[in-house]
Amino acid sequence: MTLLNTFPREEKALKSRCAMLTCLQVVSGILMVLGTVFAGYCLFFGVMMFAVLVMDASQIGTNIFGILFVLLCFATVIAFSVTCYQALGRFICLCGKLKQGTAFTQENVNRLDKLASALRNGAIVLLPLTAVFMWQIVIANGGLLAMWMIPMGVFVFGTLWLMLRGICLLTARAVDLQQDHDLTV
């Protein structure tokens, strides 16, 4: 059943929902582009910092903590970018499927579950960097207080994961109820 073969009043509401889902897809695509630009900027800044640390280490001695920290930042930016691409890509696909059919299907439950796992992975990827920054703040007595965004990212991604996981469980229950209803009718 497609979304547009119903009564006229419902047809207008369904067209509005389709337009909103298309808008969400476009915004997600824009976020992918902006995120790519931001990740590229972070990597460029990291390469410059890494070059300075390597030159500094060769002249003064070894600054192994600084070099390892920059390598950890590189790995985090790359891994976090991959999880963001996964989450946004899965969200775009989910919106596309919701425009084409009903919401309460096992296929959409699986999509929501994969989207939730991508958000969980995003929070997990940020945890090591958060631990390093927190350790550095304790040692340096507030030297890196501007890095509060990384723990906030863990909190946001973790919260989104929990909320989406709850929606996934509710949708799975709705699928079960719909199947029970179809059997009794």
Side-chain angles (χ1 to χ4, degrees):
M1 178 176 144
T2 63
L3 289 176
L4 300 178
N5 59 0
T6 57
F7 297 106
R9 184 193 287 167
E10 292 174 1
E11 186 176 327
K12 183 178 178 184
L14 291 174
K15 283 183 181 179
S16 173
R17 287 185 201 125
C18 285
M20 178 55 78
L21 290 168
T22 302
C23 181
L24 286 172
Q25 286 177 311
V26 168
V27 168
S28 297
I30 291 170
L31 286 174
M32 280 180 134
V33 170
L34 291 176
T36 302
V37 170
F38 181 70
Y41 172 75
C42 289
L43 286 175
F44 174 74
F45 181 71
V47 167
M48 288 179 26
M49 185 170 226
F50 188 71
V52 167
L53 285 172
V54 168
M55 286 192 312
D56 228 13
S58 65
Q59 293 174 1
I60 299 173
T62 58
N63 187 1
I64 195 71
F65 178 75
I67 292 171
L68 289 176
F69 179 71
V70 172
L71 289 175
L72 176 67
C73 289
F74 281 148
T76 302
V77 166
I78 291 168
F80 188 68
S81 295
V82 167
T83 59
C84 287
Y85 279 124
Q86 285 177 339
L88 286 171
R90 289 175 178 164
F91 181 72
I92 289 170
C93 289
L94 180 66
C95 288
K97 287 295 182 179
L98 288 175
K99 286 191 300 189
Q100 295 173 0
T102 60
F104 299 119
T105 63
Q106 189 60 43
E107 186 178 308
N108 287 342
V109 171
N110 295 340
R111 282 191 179 89
L112 282 171
D113 191 40
K114 288 179 182 179
L115 180 58
S117 68
L119 292 171
R120 180 199 61 221
N121 293 343
I124 290 171
V125 162
L126 290 176
L127 281 176
L129 201 57
T130 301
V132 169
F133 278 131
M134 291 299 129
W135 178 66
Q136 187 64 24
I137 287 172
V138 169
I139 289 178
N141 248 351
L144 293 173
L145 285 179
M147 294 299 160
W148 61 271
M149 293 182 295
I150 293 180
M152 185 61 80
V154 172
F155 174 76
V156 168
F157 270 75
T159 302
L160 287 174
W161 166 61
L162 289 174
M163 289 174 24
L164 200 57
R165 186 71 187 126
I167 291 171
C168 181
L169 293 173
L170 288 172
T171 305
R173 180 68 180 134
V175 168
D176 292 340
L177 288 174
Q178 184 177 7
Q179 288 174 351
D180 288 345
H181 181 288
D182 291 345
L183 290 175
T184 56
V185 170

